[in-house]
Every structure is written in structure tokens, then in C-alpha cells.
Amino acid sequence: MSLVVLASAKGAPGVTTTIAALAHVWPDQVDPLLIELDPAGGDLTGRFGLTSEPGLVTLAARSHRCGGSVDLLAHAQQARGVRVIPAPPGRAAGRATSLLGPALGAALARLARDTDVLVDAGRVDGAGPDGPSTTGVLAAADVVAVVCRSSAGDLAHAVSAVVELQESGRRAGLVPIGTSGDIGRASRAVAVPVLGSLPDDPRGADAMAGHPVRPWLLERLPLVRAARGLADALTAEIGSSGPVRVPEIALRPAGNAPLVEPGGVR
């Protein structure tokens, strides 16, 4: 079982869409828990028509009253067959994560002994009092996947975030989103692990945002097919016994051969 954290380094590259796709395709033998911890506010209540409670706010309130001891699963809802602890939109999410504090990371790590936990952590570089580092989630994660667009600017910020995570002992890597050509060039240009990749698929993104789509078509969408490859790559990364590789440099000319073999879509 595992604790997988997805985050961004800058902007909104599609972390929530990515984690929704992963939850949809996660191995059938596991019933994962998806939890929104983005201090800027959650999206899943609006996307899937969930109620505001139970969720992150009720979890924080219960944890505060019980001195940190709380049943996480009691604050989950069902959304398309996946257990979800949703965060409210707006600043209430940040206040809830601040109230939970470092005990949340420990609680999620304990839960991850029995099931897989997928965390939408928002921006990994959030240095404020509500950022993911204050909850202990990054420290407890088995792997941190930094989602980014494959443009040069977004890639530079994401690579820097991965390097910082690795230097602090975290197992981390990139998940670039874009066209196959852009992803190929991005994968050859970086000296950090590329855990997988996802295509720029507007129809698939709409489906993960709650738009209706026929089940047979959903499984054929490029985003969903690529998400299966990413799920396999993440579980393989977690199962790897090798040490986390800390690169000496973050970027290099795109013409050189890649230091790592990108996963996901070929």
C-alpha cells in the first residue's frame, strides 16, 4: 500500500484532473482514498456534485476536538466509485489544513498501510502556514509527483521543485502534460526522473471534471489510457528498492540523450 502525493510547482497545470484520472484507473484490487489538501481550495465538490460535509473541514474540526486522533475514512464520500475527502473551495481549505497540522501526515501514513492514498497537495512550494509541508504529508509520502506543463518555463519550476524534494530525501519525479513531441523534448532535457506523462486531452479533462461521457468512450480517451500507464509507473517506483537519485544539475541541452527513460505514453 502507498501514499502518493501529486502537486504543482507553479500555476494550475492540471493536478486535480491528473489525480481524478489516476483514481479512476487505479488497480481494481485496491480501493484508493483521494484527499484534497490544496490550501487554495478544492475542486471536487463542484466537479462531482459532492456535499461540503463530510470532508476536510469536518476532519479538521473532529481532529481538533479529539486532540489529533480521528478516523479519516469517516470523513470520506463516494464519487464515481472512489472514496474522496473533498476540500471546500476558497480559504476554508487552507484554514482546515492549518488546523490539522503535522498530525495529518502521520495519520495518512498509518492509513496507507492498508490502502492506497492519493493526495492533491496543491503547490509543493507553498511556504505559507497552510502549505503541504506543514501537514507532514510530503515527509510521509512514498512518492511525490510534480505535475507540470511541458513548456520551458513551467518545466524549469517543476524541475527545481523535484530537485529540492530529492535533496531533502523525498522520492520525487515529474509528470509532464502536453503533446507527444513536447513531452519527448522535455524528457530529454531534464536530469530528474520522469515518472510518466499525460497527453493534452481536452475531452478527457472534461470527463474528469464531471462532464457526462459514455463508459465505453471514457476508457478509450487518451487521458485515461495514459493514466493507466502512469499508475503502473508510480506503483513500480514505489516498489523500487533503489535509493533516490539526487542530480547535480536540473536542466541540460535537449539534444543530449536522456538520463532517465520517461514512462507513460510512448
PDB file of all heavy atoms in Angstrom, residues 23-66:
ATOM      1  N   ALA A  23      -7.263   8.044  -9.911  1.00  0.00           N
ATOM      2  CA  ALA A  23      -8.222   7.356  -9.048  1.00  0.00           C
ATOM      3  C   ALA A  23      -9.168   6.482  -9.873  1.00  0.00           C
ATOM      4  O   ALA A  23      -9.544   5.381  -9.452  1.00  0.00           O
ATOM      5  CB  ALA A  23      -9.015   8.369  -8.234  1.00  0.00           C
ATOM      6  N   HIS A  24      -9.516   6.956 -11.062  1.00  0.00           N
ATOM      7  CA  HIS A  24     -10.425   6.197 -11.925  1.00  0.00           C
ATOM      8  C   HIS A  24      -9.792   4.896 -12.418  1.00  0.00           C
ATOM      9  O   HIS A  24     -10.487   3.873 -12.539  1.00  0.00           O
ATOM     10  CB  HIS A  24     -10.836   7.066 -13.118  1.00  0.00           C
ATOM     11  CG  HIS A  24     -11.655   6.343 -14.135  1.00  0.00           C
ATOM     12  ND1 HIS A  24     -12.976   5.982 -13.912  1.00  0.00           N
ATOM     13  CD2 HIS A  24     -11.349   5.892 -15.387  1.00  0.00           C
ATOM     14  CE1 HIS A  24     -13.446   5.348 -14.977  1.00  0.00           C
ATOM     15  NE2 HIS A  24     -12.477   5.272 -15.876  1.00  0.00           N
ATOM     16  N   VAL A  25      -8.488   4.923 -12.690  1.00  0.00           N
ATOM     17  CA  VAL A  25      -7.835   3.756 -13.291  1.00  0.00           C
ATOM     18  C   VAL A  25      -7.000   2.960 -12.285  1.00  0.00           C
ATOM     19  O   VAL A  25      -6.339   2.004 -12.671  1.00  0.00           O
ATOM     20  CB  VAL A  25      -6.925   4.175 -14.468  1.00  0.00           C
ATOM     21  CG1 VAL A  25      -7.715   4.937 -15.507  1.00  0.00           C
ATOM     22  CG2 VAL A  25      -5.732   5.029 -13.978  1.00  0.00           C
ATOM     23  N   TRP A  26      -7.009   3.335 -11.019  1.00  0.00           N
ATOM     24  CA  TRP A  26      -6.160   2.651 -10.039  1.00  0.00           C
ATOM     25  C   TRP A  26      -6.491   1.163 -10.027  1.00  0.00           C
ATOM     26  O   TRP A  26      -7.634   0.786 -10.284  1.00  0.00           O
ATOM     27  CB  TRP A  26      -6.349   3.264  -8.656  1.00  0.00           C
ATOM     28  CG  TRP A  26      -5.138   3.127  -7.784  1.00  0.00           C
ATOM     29  CD1 TRP A  26      -5.002   2.314  -6.697  1.00  0.00           C
ATOM     30  CD2 TRP A  26      -3.903   3.834  -7.922  1.00  0.00           C
ATOM     31  NE1 TRP A  26      -3.753   2.465  -6.151  1.00  0.00           N
ATOM     32  CE2 TRP A  26      -3.049   3.382  -6.878  1.00  0.00           C
ATOM     33  CE3 TRP A  26      -3.418   4.782  -8.819  1.00  0.00           C
ATOM     34  CZ2 TRP A  26      -1.754   3.859  -6.710  1.00  0.00           C
ATOM     35  CZ3 TRP A  26      -2.127   5.255  -8.650  1.00  0.00           C
ATOM     36  CH2 TRP A  26      -1.303   4.805  -7.609  1.00  0.00           C
ATOM     37  N   PRO A  27      -5.505   0.309  -9.764  1.00  0.00           N
ATOM     38  CA  PRO A  27      -5.728  -1.140  -9.839  1.00  0.00           C
ATOM     39  C   PRO A  27      -7.003  -1.595  -9.137  1.00  0.00           C
ATOM     40  O   PRO A  27      -7.321  -1.134  -8.033  1.00  0.00           O
ATOM     41  CB  PRO A  27      -4.477  -1.713  -9.163  1.00  0.00           C
ATOM     42  CG  PRO A  27      -3.416  -0.692  -9.441  1.00  0.00           C
ATOM     43  CD  PRO A  27      -4.118   0.638  -9.393  1.00  0.00           C
ATOM     44  N   ASP A  28      -7.728  -2.519  -9.784  1.00  0.00           N
ATOM     45  CA  ASP A  28      -9.038  -2.936  -9.295  1.00  0.00           C
ATOM     46  C   ASP A  28      -8.988  -3.552  -7.904  1.00  0.00           C
ATOM     47  O   ASP A  28      -9.965  -3.490  -7.157  1.00  0.00           O
ATOM     48  CB  ASP A  28      -9.661  -3.944 -10.274  1.00  0.00           C
ATOM     49  CG  ASP A  28     -10.040  -3.310 -11.597  1.00  0.00           C
ATOM     50  OD1 ASP A  28     -10.225  -2.083 -11.630  1.00  0.00           O
ATOM     51  OD2 ASP A  28     -10.151  -4.049 -12.596  1.00  0.00           O
ATOM     52  N   GLN A  29      -7.871  -4.162  -7.552  1.00  0.00           N
ATOM     53  CA  GLN A  29      -7.795  -4.850  -6.264  1.00  0.00           C
ATOM     54  C   GLN A  29      -7.639  -3.884  -5.091  1.00  0.00           C
ATOM     55  O   GLN A  29      -7.657  -4.291  -3.942  1.00  0.00           O
ATOM     56  CB  GLN A  29      -6.644  -5.861  -6.249  1.00  0.00           C
ATOM     57  CG  GLN A  29      -5.255  -5.255  -6.377  1.00  0.00           C
ATOM     58  CD  GLN A  29      -4.788  -5.158  -7.812  1.00  0.00           C
ATOM     59  OE1 GLN A  29      -5.612  -5.060  -8.719  1.00  0.00           O
ATOM     60  NE2 GLN A  29      -3.486  -5.194  -8.021  1.00  0.00           N
ATOM     61  N   VAL A  30      -7.496  -2.588  -5.388  1.00  0.00           N
ATOM     62  CA  VAL A  30      -7.310  -1.593  -4.341  1.00  0.00           C
ATOM     63  C   VAL A  30      -8.419  -0.549  -4.437  1.00  0.00           C
ATOM     64  O   VAL A  30      -8.755  -0.092  -5.530  1.00  0.00           O
ATOM     65  CB  VAL A  30      -5.938  -0.893  -4.471  1.00  0.00           C
ATOM     66  CG1 VAL A  30      -5.765   0.161  -3.386  1.00  0.00           C
ATOM     67  CG2 VAL A  30      -4.819  -1.911  -4.404  1.00  0.00           C
ATOM     68  N   ASP A  31      -8.989  -0.200  -3.293  1.00  0.00           N
ATOM     69  CA  ASP A  31      -9.988   0.866  -3.228  1.00  0.00           C
ATOM     70  C   ASP A  31      -9.305   2.107  -2.669  1.00  0.00           C
ATOM     71  O   ASP A  31      -9.212   2.274  -1.460  1.00  0.00           O
ATOM     72  CB  ASP A  31     -11.152   0.432  -2.329  1.00  0.00           C
ATOM     73  CG  ASP A  31     -12.282   1.458  -2.325  1.00  0.00           C
ATOM     74  OD1 ASP A  31     -12.278   2.342  -3.202  1.00  0.00           O
ATOM     75  OD2 ASP A  31     -13.152   1.375  -1.438  1.00  0.00           O
ATOM     76  N   PRO A  32      -8.779   2.975  -3.530  1.00  0.00           N
ATOM     77  CA  PRO A  32      -7.962   4.085  -3.026  1.00  0.00           C
ATOM     78  C   PRO A  32      -8.804   5.168  -2.344  1.00  0.00           C
ATOM     79  O   PRO A  32     -10.011   5.271  -2.565  1.00  0.00           O
ATOM     80  CB  PRO A  32      -7.314   4.638  -4.301  1.00  0.00           C
ATOM     81  CG  PRO A  32      -8.315   4.355  -5.372  1.00  0.00           C
ATOM     82  CD  PRO A  32      -8.929   3.037  -5.000  1.00  0.00           C
ATOM     83  N   LEU A  33      -8.132   5.949  -1.533  1.00  0.00           N
ATOM     84  CA  LEU A  33      -8.737   7.143  -0.930  1.00  0.00           C
ATOM     85  C   LEU A  33      -8.098   8.358  -1.571  1.00  0.00           C
ATOM     86  O   LEU A  33      -6.874   8.462  -1.642  1.00  0.00           O
ATOM     87  CB  LEU A  33      -8.495   7.174   0.583  1.00  0.00           C
ATOM     88  CG  LEU A  33      -8.932   8.472   1.286  1.00  0.00           C
ATOM     89  CD1 LEU A  33     -10.450   8.581   1.311  1.00  0.00           C
ATOM     90  CD2 LEU A  33      -8.353   8.557   2.695  1.00  0.00           C
ATOM     91  N   LEU A  34      -8.912   9.276  -2.051  1.00  0.00           N
ATOM     92  CA  LEU A  34      -8.426  10.519  -2.633  1.00  0.00           C
ATOM     93  C   LEU A  34      -8.739  11.643  -1.657  1.00  0.00           C
ATOM     94  O   LEU A  34      -9.886  11.794  -1.224  1.00  0.00           O
ATOM     95  CB  LEU A  34      -9.122  10.770  -3.975  1.00  0.00           C
ATOM     96  CG  LEU A  34      -8.547  11.822  -4.934  1.00  0.00           C
ATOM     97  CD1 LEU A  34      -9.147  11.626  -6.332  1.00  0.00           C
ATOM     98  CD2 LEU A  34      -8.832  13.238  -4.469  1.00  0.00           C
ATOM     99  N   ILE A  35      -7.726  12.430  -1.299  1.00  0.00           N
ATOM    100  CA  ILE A  35      -7.930  13.531  -0.370  1.00  0.00           C
ATOM    101  C   ILE A  35      -7.381  14.826  -0.960  1.00  0.00           C
ATOM    102  O   ILE A  35      -6.269  14.858  -1.485  1.00  0.00           O
ATOM    103  CB  ILE A  35      -7.301  13.245   1.019  1.00  0.00           C
ATOM    104  CG1 ILE A  35      -7.497  14.440   1.964  1.00  0.00           C
ATOM    105  CG2 ILE A  35      -5.832  12.858   0.918  1.00  0.00           C
ATOM    106  CD1 ILE A  35      -7.143  14.131   3.407  1.00  0.00           C
ATOM    107  N   GLU A  36      -8.202  15.879  -0.906  1.00  0.00           N
ATOM    108  CA  GLU A  36      -7.793  17.194  -1.389  1.00  0.00           C
ATOM    109  C   GLU A  36      -7.181  17.989  -0.235  1.00  0.00           C
ATOM    110  O   GLU A  36      -7.840  18.219   0.784  1.00  0.00           O
ATOM    111  CB  GLU A  36      -8.994  17.967  -1.933  1.00  0.00           C
ATOM    112  CG  GLU A  36      -9.471  17.529  -3.284  1.00  0.00           C
ATOM    113  CD  GLU A  36     -10.497  18.481  -3.860  1.00  0.00           C
ATOM    114  OE1 GLU A  36     -11.575  18.631  -3.253  1.00  0.00           O
ATOM    115  OE2 GLU A  36     -10.232  19.074  -4.909  1.00  0.00           O
ATOM    116  N   LEU A  37      -5.936  18.416  -0.425  1.00  0.00           N
ATOM    117  CA  LEU A  37      -5.255  19.218   0.596  1.00  0.00           C
ATOM    118  C   LEU A  37      -4.718  20.521   0.004  1.00  0.00           C
ATOM    119  O   LEU A  37      -3.801  21.113   0.580  1.00  0.00           O
ATOM    120  CB  LEU A  37      -4.105  18.422   1.227  1.00  0.00           C
ATOM    121  CG  LEU A  37      -4.495  17.220   2.077  1.00  0.00           C
ATOM    122  CD1 LEU A  37      -3.252  16.545   2.634  1.00  0.00           C
ATOM    123  CD2 LEU A  37      -5.423  17.623   3.207  1.00  0.00           C
ATOM    124  N   ASP A  38      -5.260  20.949  -1.105  1.00  0.00           N
ATOM    125  CA  ASP A  38      -4.816  22.204  -1.705  1.00  0.00           C
ATOM    126  C   ASP A  38      -5.320  23.362  -0.847  1.00  0.00           C
ATOM    127  O   ASP A  38      -6.530  23.576  -0.746  1.00  0.00           O
ATOM    128  CB  ASP A  38      -5.370  22.321  -3.122  1.00  0.00           C
ATOM    129  CG  ASP A  38      -4.795  23.515  -3.875  1.00  0.00           C
ATOM    130  OD1 ASP A  38      -4.248  24.421  -3.224  1.00  0.00           O
ATOM    131  OD2 ASP A  38      -4.909  23.541  -5.113  1.00  0.00           O
ATOM    132  N   PRO A  39      -4.413  24.101  -0.196  1.00  0.00           N
ATOM    133  CA  PRO A  39      -4.862  25.196   0.671  1.00  0.00           C
ATOM    134  C   PRO A  39      -5.556  26.316  -0.085  1.00  0.00           C
ATOM    135  O   PRO A  39      -6.234  27.156   0.525  1.00  0.00           O
ATOM    136  CB  PRO A  39      -3.563  25.687   1.325  1.00  0.00           C
ATOM    137  CG  PRO A  39      -2.476  25.234   0.420  1.00  0.00           C
ATOM    138  CD  PRO A  39      -2.958  23.946  -0.184  1.00  0.00           C
ATOM    139  N   ALA A  40      -5.416  26.341  -1.409  1.00  0.00           N
ATOM    140  CA  ALA A  40      -6.116  27.354  -2.205  1.00  0.00           C
ATOM    141  C   ALA A  40      -7.578  26.994  -2.438  1.00  0.00           C
ATOM    142  O   ALA A  40      -8.338  27.807  -2.957  1.00  0.00           O
ATOM    143  CB  ALA A  40      -5.411  27.537  -3.550  1.00  0.00           C
ATOM    144  N   GLY A  41      -7.975  25.779  -2.054  1.00  0.00           N
ATOM    145  CA  GLY A  41      -9.365  25.371  -2.210  1.00  0.00           C
ATOM    146  C   GLY A  41      -9.499  24.149  -3.088  1.00  0.00           C
ATOM    147  O   GLY A  41      -8.694  23.911  -3.982  1.00  0.00           O
ATOM    148  N   GLY A  42     -10.542  23.370  -2.826  1.00  0.00           N
ATOM    149  CA  GLY A  42     -10.770  22.144  -3.573  1.00  0.00           C
ATOM    150  C   GLY A  42     -11.686  22.348  -4.767  1.00  0.00           C
ATOM    151  O   GLY A  42     -12.402  23.348  -4.864  1.00  0.00           O
ATOM    152  N   ASP A  43     -11.674  21.369  -5.671  1.00  0.00           N
ATOM    153  CA  ASP A  43     -12.484  21.416  -6.890  1.00  0.00           C
ATOM    154  C   ASP A  43     -13.485  20.276  -6.998  1.00  0.00           C
ATOM    155  O   ASP A  43     -14.411  20.343  -7.806  1.00  0.00           O
ATOM    156  CB  ASP A  43     -11.572  21.361  -8.124  1.00  0.00           C
ATOM    157  CG  ASP A  43     -10.625  22.538  -8.207  1.00  0.00           C
ATOM    158  OD1 ASP A  43     -11.096  23.679  -8.076  1.00  0.00           O
ATOM    159  OD2 ASP A  43      -9.418  22.315  -8.411  1.00  0.00           O
ATOM    160  N   LEU A  44     -13.305  19.216  -6.209  1.00  0.00           N
ATOM    161  CA  LEU A  44     -14.076  18.010  -6.440  1.00  0.00           C
ATOM    162  C   LEU A  44     -15.535  18.133  -6.018  1.00  0.00           C
ATOM    163  O   LEU A  44     -16.394  17.439  -6.565  1.00  0.00           O
ATOM    164  CB  LEU A  44     -13.426  16.825  -5.731  1.00  0.00           C
ATOM    165  CG  LEU A  44     -12.044  16.431  -6.285  1.00  0.00           C
ATOM    166  CD1 LEU A  44     -11.482  15.246  -5.509  1.00  0.00           C
ATOM    167  CD2 LEU A  44     -12.135  16.088  -7.775  1.00  0.00           C
ATOM    168  N   THR A  45     -15.856  19.006  -5.065  1.00  0.00           N
ATOM    169  CA  THR A  45     -17.263  19.182  -4.707  1.00  0.00           C
ATOM    170  C   THR A  45     -18.048  19.711  -5.900  1.00  0.00           C
ATOM    171  O   THR A  45     -19.148  19.240  -6.195  1.00  0.00           O
ATOM    172  CB  THR A  45     -17.416  20.137  -3.512  1.00  0.00           C
ATOM    173  OG1 THR A  45     -16.743  21.374  -3.798  1.00  0.00           O
ATOM    174  CG2 THR A  45     -16.842  19.529  -2.248  1.00  0.00           C
ATOM    175  N   GLY A  46     -17.464  20.684  -6.604  1.00  0.00           N
ATOM    176  CA  GLY A  46     -18.130  21.227  -7.769  1.00  0.00           C
ATOM    177  C   GLY A  46     -18.130  20.277  -8.946  1.00  0.00           C
ATOM    178  O   GLY A  46     -19.115  20.165  -9.675  1.00  0.00           O
ATOM    179  N   ARG A  47     -17.036  19.566  -9.143  1.00  0.00           N
ATOM    180  CA  ARG A  47     -16.922  18.669 -10.301  1.00  0.00           C
ATOM    181  C   ARG A  47     -17.878  17.495 -10.222  1.00  0.00           C
ATOM    182  O   ARG A  47     -18.467  17.080 -11.218  1.00  0.00           O
ATOM    183  CB  ARG A  47     -15.497  18.135 -10.418  1.00  0.00           C
ATOM    184  CG  ARG A  47     -14.472  19.172 -10.832  1.00  0.00           C
ATOM    185  CD  ARG A  47     -13.136  18.524 -11.118  1.00  0.00           C
ATOM    186  NE  ARG A  47     -12.132  19.510 -11.507  1.00  0.00           N
ATOM    187  CZ  ARG A  47     -11.052  19.227 -12.224  1.00  0.00           C
ATOM    188  NH1 ARG A  47     -10.847  17.986 -12.608  1.00  0.00           N
ATOM    189  NH2 ARG A  47     -10.185  20.159 -12.543  1.00  0.00           N
ATOM    190  N   PHE A  48     -18.043  16.936  -9.025  1.00  0.00           N
ATOM    191  CA  PHE A  48     -18.803  15.704  -8.892  1.00  0.00           C
ATOM    192  C   PHE A  48     -20.082  15.856  -8.083  1.00  0.00           C
ATOM    193  O   PHE A  48     -20.709  14.873  -7.715  1.00  0.00           O
ATOM    194  CB  PHE A  48     -17.919  14.621  -8.276  1.00  0.00           C
ATOM    195  CG  PHE A  48     -16.717  14.285  -9.104  1.00  0.00           C
ATOM    196  CD1 PHE A  48     -15.439  14.447  -8.612  1.00  0.00           C
ATOM    197  CD2 PHE A  48     -16.866  13.831 -10.403  1.00  0.00           C
ATOM    198  CE1 PHE A  48     -14.329  14.158  -9.386  1.00  0.00           C
ATOM    199  CE2 PHE A  48     -15.771  13.530 -11.192  1.00  0.00           C
ATOM    200  CZ  PHE A  48     -14.502  13.699 -10.689  1.00  0.00           C
ATOM    201  N   GLY A  49     -20.456  17.102  -7.796  1.00  0.00           N
ATOM    202  CA  GLY A  49     -21.708  17.334  -7.096  1.00  0.00           C
ATOM    203  C   GLY A  49     -21.717  16.796  -5.679  1.00  0.00           C
ATOM    204  O   GLY A  49     -22.760  16.349  -5.176  1.00  0.00           O
ATOM    205  N   LEU A  50     -20.562  16.844  -5.009  1.00  0.00           N
ATOM    206  CA  LEU A  50     -20.479  16.375  -3.633  1.00  0.00           C
ATOM    207  C   LEU A  50     -20.995  17.441  -2.674  1.00  0.00           C
ATOM    208  O   LEU A  50     -21.032  18.624  -2.996  1.00  0.00           O
ATOM    209  CB  LEU A  50     -19.030  16.023  -3.283  1.00  0.00           C
ATOM    210  CG  LEU A  50     -18.359  14.971  -4.161  1.00  0.00           C
ATOM    211  CD1 LEU A  50     -16.894  14.804  -3.747  1.00  0.00           C
ATOM    212  CD2 LEU A  50     -19.082  13.647  -4.080  1.00  0.00           C
ATOM    213  N   THR A  51     -21.358  17.017  -1.481  1.00  0.00           N
ATOM    214  CA  THR A  51     -21.739  17.963  -0.441  1.00  0.00           C
ATOM    215  C   THR A  51     -20.486  18.463   0.279  1.00  0.00           C
ATOM    216  O   THR A  51     -19.417  17.859   0.186  1.00  0.00           O
ATOM    217  CB  THR A  51     -22.689  17.299   0.570  1.00  0.00           C
ATOM    218  OG1 THR A  51     -22.038  16.150   1.141  1.00  0.00           O
ATOM    219  CG2 THR A  51     -23.969  16.853  -0.126  1.00  0.00           C
ATOM    220  N   SER A  52     -20.614  19.558   0.985  1.00  0.00           N
ATOM    221  CA  SER A  52     -19.456  20.122   1.678  1.00  0.00           C
ATOM    222  C   SER A  52     -19.044  19.294   2.891  1.00  0.00           C
ATOM    223  O   SER A  52     -17.901  19.374   3.348  1.00  0.00           O
ATOM    224  CB  SER A  52     -19.746  21.563   2.115  1.00  0.00           C
ATOM    225  OG  SER A  52     -20.896  21.607   2.955  1.00  0.00           O
ATOM    226  N   GLU A  53     -19.965  18.512   3.419  1.00  0.00           N
ATOM    227  CA  GLU A  53     -19.682  17.654   4.566  1.00  0.00           C
ATOM    228  C   GLU A  53     -20.246  16.257   4.300  1.00  0.00           C
ATOM    229  O   GLU A  53     -21.309  16.117   3.698  1.00  0.00           O
ATOM    230  CB  GLU A  53     -20.307  18.233   5.837  1.00  0.00           C
ATOM    231  CG  GLU A  53     -19.745  19.592   6.226  1.00  0.00           C
ATOM    232  CD  GLU A  53     -20.372  20.129   7.499  1.00  0.00           C
ATOM    233  OE1 GLU A  53     -21.235  19.413   8.079  1.00  0.00           O
ATOM    234  OE2 GLU A  53     -20.025  21.241   7.905  1.00  0.00           O
ATOM    235  N   PRO A  54     -19.517  15.215   4.717  1.00  0.00           N
ATOM    236  CA  PRO A  54     -18.209  15.250   5.372  1.00  0.00           C
ATOM    237  C   PRO A  54     -17.115  15.591   4.386  1.00  0.00           C
ATOM    238  O   PRO A  54     -17.308  15.539   3.176  1.00  0.00           O
ATOM    239  CB  PRO A  54     -18.059  13.835   5.913  1.00  0.00           C
ATOM    240  CG  PRO A  54     -18.836  12.998   4.922  1.00  0.00           C
ATOM    241  CD  PRO A  54     -20.011  13.840   4.526  1.00  0.00           C
ATOM    242  N   GLY A  55     -15.953  15.935   4.941  1.00  0.00           N
ATOM    243  CA  GLY A  55     -14.827  16.314   4.102  1.00  0.00           C
ATOM    244  C   GLY A  55     -13.687  16.836   4.947  1.00  0.00           C
ATOM    245  O   GLY A  55     -13.581  16.531   6.148  1.00  0.00           O
ATOM    246  N   LEU A  56     -12.846  17.642   4.339  1.00  0.00           N
ATOM    247  CA  LEU A  56     -11.650  18.136   5.016  1.00  0.00           C
ATOM    248  C   LEU A  56     -11.998  18.997   6.223  1.00  0.00           C
ATOM    249  O   LEU A  56     -11.325  18.931   7.255  1.00  0.00           O
ATOM    250  CB  LEU A  56     -10.788  18.933   4.030  1.00  0.00           C
ATOM    251  CG  LEU A  56      -9.424  19.382   4.531  1.00  0.00           C
ATOM    252  CD1 LEU A  56      -8.516  18.189   4.787  1.00  0.00           C
ATOM    253  CD2 LEU A  56      -8.770  20.345   3.527  1.00  0.00           C
ATOM    254  N   VAL A  57     -13.057  19.814   6.101  1.00  0.00           N
ATOM    255  CA  VAL A  57     -13.426  20.703   7.205  1.00  0.00           C
ATOM    256  C   VAL A  57     -13.919  19.904   8.404  1.00  0.00           C
ATOM    257  O   VAL A  57     -13.536  20.179   9.555  1.00  0.00           O
ATOM    258  CB  VAL A  57     -14.478  21.724   6.746  1.00  0.00           C
ATOM    259  CG1 VAL A  57     -15.027  22.503   7.936  1.00  0.00           C
ATOM    260  CG2 VAL A  57     -13.874  22.692   5.734  1.00  0.00           C
ATOM    261  N   THR A  58     -14.767  18.912   8.183  1.00  0.00           N
ATOM    262  CA  THR A  58     -15.239  18.107   9.311  1.00  0.00           C
ATOM    263  C   THR A  58     -14.103  17.278   9.900  1.00  0.00           C
ATOM    264  O   THR A  58     -14.049  17.048  11.106  1.00  0.00           O
ATOM    265  CB  THR A  58     -16.388  17.176   8.886  1.00  0.00           C
ATOM    266  OG1 THR A  58     -15.936  16.289   7.848  1.00  0.00           O
ATOM    267  CG2 THR A  58     -17.565  17.985   8.357  1.00  0.00           C
ATOM    268  N   LEU A  59     -13.169  16.840   9.046  1.00  0.00           N
ATOM    269  CA  LEU A  59     -11.993  16.115   9.529  1.00  0.00           C
ATOM    270  C   LEU A  59     -11.164  16.995  10.446  1.00  0.00           C
ATOM    271  O   LEU A  59     -10.737  16.563  11.531  1.00  0.00           O
ATOM    272  CB  LEU A  59     -11.155  15.647   8.351  1.00  0.00           C
ATOM    273  CG  LEU A  59      -9.782  15.034   8.662  1.00  0.00           C
ATOM    274  CD1 LEU A  59      -9.926  13.777   9.495  1.00  0.00           C
ATOM    275  CD2 LEU A  59      -9.025  14.739   7.372  1.00  0.00           C
ATOM    276  N   ALA A  60     -10.937  18.244  10.037  1.00  0.00           N
ATOM    277  CA  ALA A  60     -10.140  19.163  10.849  1.00  0.00           C
ATOM    278  C   ALA A  60     -10.840  19.467  12.168  1.00  0.00           C
ATOM    279  O   ALA A  60     -10.202  19.511  13.233  1.00  0.00           O
ATOM    280  CB  ALA A  60      -9.880  20.449  10.075  1.00  0.00           C
ATOM    281  N   ALA A  61     -12.135  19.689  12.117  1.00  0.00           N
ATOM    282  CA  ALA A  61     -12.882  20.004  13.339  1.00  0.00           C
ATOM    283  C   ALA A  61     -12.863  18.829  14.303  1.00  0.00           C
ATOM    284  O   ALA A  61     -12.651  18.997  15.515  1.00  0.00           O
ATOM    285  CB  ALA A  61     -14.319  20.379  12.985  1.00  0.00           C
ATOM    286  N   ARG A  62     -13.068  17.629  13.784  1.00  0.00           N
ATOM    287  CA  ARG A  62     -13.061  16.445  14.639  1.00  0.00           C
ATOM    288  C   ARG A  62     -11.677  16.198  15.223  1.00  0.00           C
ATOM    289  O   ARG A  62     -11.537  15.858  16.407  1.00  0.00           O
ATOM    290  CB  ARG A  62     -13.513  15.230  13.825  1.00  0.00           C
ATOM    291  CG  ARG A  62     -13.587  13.931  14.616  1.00  0.00           C
ATOM    292  CD  ARG A  62     -14.648  13.985  15.679  1.00  0.00           C
ATOM    293  NE  ARG A  62     -14.770  12.721  16.381  1.00  0.00           N
ATOM    294  CZ  ARG A  62     -15.499  12.552  17.473  1.00  0.00           C
ATOM    295  NH1 ARG A  62     -16.189  13.568  17.983  1.00  0.00           N
ATOM    296  NH2 ARG A  62     -15.566  11.374  18.062  1.00  0.00           N
ATOM    297  N   SER A  63     -10.650  16.375  14.402  1.00  0.00           N
ATOM    298  CA  SER A  63      -9.289  16.181  14.878  1.00  0.00           C
ATOM    299  C   SER A  63      -8.953  17.169  15.992  1.00  0.00           C
ATOM    300  O   SER A  63      -8.302  16.819  16.980  1.00  0.00           O
ATOM    301  CB  SER A  63      -8.309  16.350  13.710  1.00  0.00           C
ATOM    302  OG  SER A  63      -6.981  16.257  14.150  1.00  0.00           O
ATOM    303  N   HIS A  64      -9.407  18.405  15.833  1.00  0.00           N
ATOM    304  CA  HIS A  64      -9.128  19.431  16.843  1.00  0.00           C
ATOM    305  C   HIS A  64      -9.797  19.070  18.169  1.00  0.00           C
ATOM    306  O   HIS A  64      -9.194  19.224  19.242  1.00  0.00           O
ATOM    307  CB  HIS A  64      -9.622  20.781  16.334  1.00  0.00           C
ATOM    308  CG  HIS A  64      -9.339  21.924  17.259  1.00  0.00           C
ATOM    309  ND1 HIS A  64      -8.061  22.354  17.543  1.00  0.00           N
ATOM    310  CD2 HIS A  64     -10.178  22.717  17.986  1.00  0.00           C
ATOM    311  CE1 HIS A  64      -8.119  23.375  18.390  1.00  0.00           C
ATOM    312  NE2 HIS A  64      -9.392  23.607  18.678  1.00  0.00           N
ATOM    313  N   ARG A  65     -11.041  18.573  18.099  1.00  0.00           N
ATOM    314  CA  ARG A  65     -11.760  18.239  19.330  1.00  0.00           C
ATOM    315  C   ARG A  65     -11.195  16.994  20.004  1.00  0.00           C
ATOM    316  O   ARG A  65     -11.258  16.853  21.225  1.00  0.00           O
ATOM    317  CB  ARG A  65     -13.248  18.019  19.025  1.00  0.00           C
ATOM    318  CG  ARG A  65     -13.995  19.286  18.678  1.00  0.00           C
ATOM    319  CD  ARG A  65     -15.495  19.052  18.754  1.00  0.00           C
ATOM    320  NE  ARG A  65     -15.939  18.057  17.784  1.00  0.00           N
ATOM    321  CZ  ARG A  65     -16.367  18.342  16.563  1.00  0.00           C
ATOM    322  NH1 ARG A  65     -16.387  19.608  16.148  1.00  0.00           N
ATOM    323  NH2 ARG A  65     -16.766  17.383  15.751  1.00  0.00           N
ATOM    324  N   CYS A  66     -10.619  16.081  19.179  1.00  0.00           N
ATOM    325  CA  CYS A  66     -10.132  14.808  19.729  1.00  0.00           C
ATOM    326  C   CYS A  66      -8.632  14.807  19.963  1.00  0.00           C
ATOM    327  O   CYS A  66      -8.031  13.745  20.170  1.00  0.00           O
ATOM    328  CB  CYS A  66     -10.512  13.665  18.791  1.00  0.00           C
ATOM    329  SG  CYS A  66     -12.282  13.436  18.601  1.00  0.00           S
TER     330      CYS A  66
END
